[in-house]
Amino acid sequence: MEPEFLYNLLQLPREVALPAEEQLPQGAKKKYLPSNSRKDPKFEELQKVLAEWINATLLPEHIVVRSLEEDVFDGLILHHLFQKLAELRLEVEEIALTAASQRRKLEVVLEAVNRALQLEEPQAKWSVEAIFNKDLLATLHLLVALAKRFQPNLPLPRNVQVEVVTIESTKSGLKSEKSVEQLTEDSTDEDRPAEDVFDELFKLAPEKVRAVEEAIVSFVNQKLERLGLSVQNLDTQFADGVILLLLIGQLEGFFLHLKEFYLTPSSPAEMVHNVTLALELLKEGDLLSHPVSPEDIVNKDPRSTLRVLYSLFRKHKLKAGVDGTPRGTPH
């Protein structure tokens, strides 16, 4: 069959027609991403956020992902990522050099992933075959599922949809069908936490917010003075998580190795990594009484930043009743 005839027969752009060297067995189906889908800004942003998340998570292991499509298929990155996220060790060879050993490794890793996600293989939107063959859609579905399970606050772009073309080999020839693949969901009101005292403060007494901020700035600078640091703007200077981590270390007695966070973060994903670590430390100390999203801090949301800092202020300043400051929440 001549290539031109195939393009016309399927009425598809050239980039989604079957390569000349590839033959689908009868009854088989395969999905293709047309170029307009690959170039969709939200689709590209999803890949960028996931790659930066993986790189931030695997920073201590010096593993770097440059292309989700090319770097994830052999199971090595998934192996390290899943072990880190699930805090367990998989009994699988560390280095797989041959295609057969890579496939075996990938199978073991995906079995463990599916168990953790409580999925049977037919329910999953990925498979060993798809991941090993560098199916970008399957790879993205897998990584989004891992992020939702182990890093629910990761700022994935909302409502990412892409048009895909499914080609099926039938007795009468090749058939094609276009459809829309949903990669991430849209946000709903159910996702939003209930309001707390800070929401009320910003709504009903915005004139008092400044007084609370000034008290916290004074407290923070007193604690950071020994590090040679000072803060003037709570919203902007805590957005990358660095000063927040140093402050928590000072107050709670944590020693954070430089390998655990980014001292000079250069991307939103690295900032989210820092802030997520800080929030985890606060949760371990039972200091956060209201859920806070790392991306809200990174995006310089004033009430989220104030809520986090007040949790430290309340424990280390108000508890001691220093300077006659009243105990309890702000009125």
Side-chain angles (χ1 to χ4, degrees), residues 139-325:
T139 302
L140 291 176
H141 277 302
L142 171 60
L143 294 174
V144 167
L146 284 170
K148 288 172 67 176
R149 168 64 177 83
F150 294 102
Q151 192 82 54
N153 292 323
L154 188 69
L156 297 174
R158 297 286 188 177
N159 198 30
V160 178
Q161 298 176 322
V162 289
E163 183 182 84
V164 299
V165 177
T166 302
I167 299 179
E168 180 181 6
S169 177
T170 67
K171 289 182 179 179
S172 58
L174 295 175
K175 291 185 178 180
S176 69
E177 182 181 28
K178 290 184 179 180
S179 60
V180 174
E181 193 101 1
Q182 187 86 32
L183 288 164
T184 66
E185 302 298 328
D186 202 356
S187 59
T188 64
D189 291 337
E190 294 178 1
D191 297 329
R192 302 186 184 100
E195 292 188 345
D196 72 343
V197 64
F198 274 98
D199 295 307
E200 294 298 319
L201 180 67
F202 273 79
K203 278 184 181 180
L204 304 178
E207 71 282 356
K208 295 183 180 179
V209 172
R210 185 61 185 167
V212 176
E213 288 179 340
E214 288 176 355
I216 292 178
V217 166
S218 176
F219 162 74
V220 167
N221 284 334
Q222 181 186 11
K223 301 303 177 183
L224 292 177
E225 185 178 8
R226 69 192 72 175
L227 298 178
L229 299 172
S230 65
V231 169
Q232 286 78 43
N233 189 304
L234 296 182
D235 303 341
T236 60
Q237 289 184 263
F238 285 91
D240 63 7
V242 176
I243 293 180
L244 181 57
L245 283 169
L246 295 175
L247 178 64
I248 293 172
Q250 284 288 304
L251 295 173
E252 296 290 304
F254 288 112
F255 173 75
L256 294 173
H257 198 284
L258 291 179
K259 289 184 178 180
E260 295 183 34
F261 69 102
Y262 294 90
L263 190 59
T264 56
S266 58
S267 70
E270 293 177 357
M271 295 178 187
V272 168
H273 172 85
N274 285 353
V275 176
T276 299
L277 175 58
L279 295 180
E280 286 173 355
L281 294 174
L282 293 177
K283 287 175 186 174
E284 288 176 6
D286 199 26
L287 292 178
L288 281 180
S289 57
H290 190 82
V292 176
S293 297
E295 59 265 30
D296 287 342
I297 305 293
V298 173
N299 291 330
K300 304 172 186 176
D301 177 59
R303 73 185 67 187
S304 296
T305 305
L306 200 58
R307 184 180 282 120
V308 168
L309 294 173
Y310 186 77
S311 68
L312 291 164
F313 179 81
R314 180 178 56 198
K315 176 179 178 180
H316 294 279
K317 181 86 169 182
L318 298 188
K319 187 175 180 181
V322 178
D323 299 329
T325 307

Side-chain angles (χ1 to χ4, degrees), residues 41-59 63-69 71-72 77-78 80-82 85 126 131 135-158 160 162 182-185 262 267-270 272-273:
K42 291 179 72 173
F43 184 69
E44 292 180 334
E45 176 66 14
L46 176 63
Q47 294 177 74
K48 181 174 180 247
V49 170
L50 288 170
E52 289 178 347
W53 168 57
I54 294 172
N55 290 338
T57 303
L58 299 182
L59 175 67
I63 293 176
V64 178
V65 172
R66 292 183 174 84
S67 166
L68 297 179
E69 193 166 15
D71 295 346
V72 176
I77 287 168
L78 286 175
H80 285 267
L81 178 66
F82 181 68
L85 295 174
W126 55 85
I131 301 297
D135 185 319
L136 182 57
L137 281 174
T139 302
L140 291 176
H141 277 302
L142 171 60
L143 294 174
V144 167
L146 284 170
K148 288 172 67 176
R149 168 64 177 83
F150 294 102
Q151 192 82 54
N153 292 323
L154 188 69
L156 297 174
R158 297 286 188 177
V160 178
V162 289
Q182 187 86 32
L183 288 164
T184 66
E185 302 298 328
Y262 294 90
S267 70
E270 293 177 357
V272 168
H273 172 85

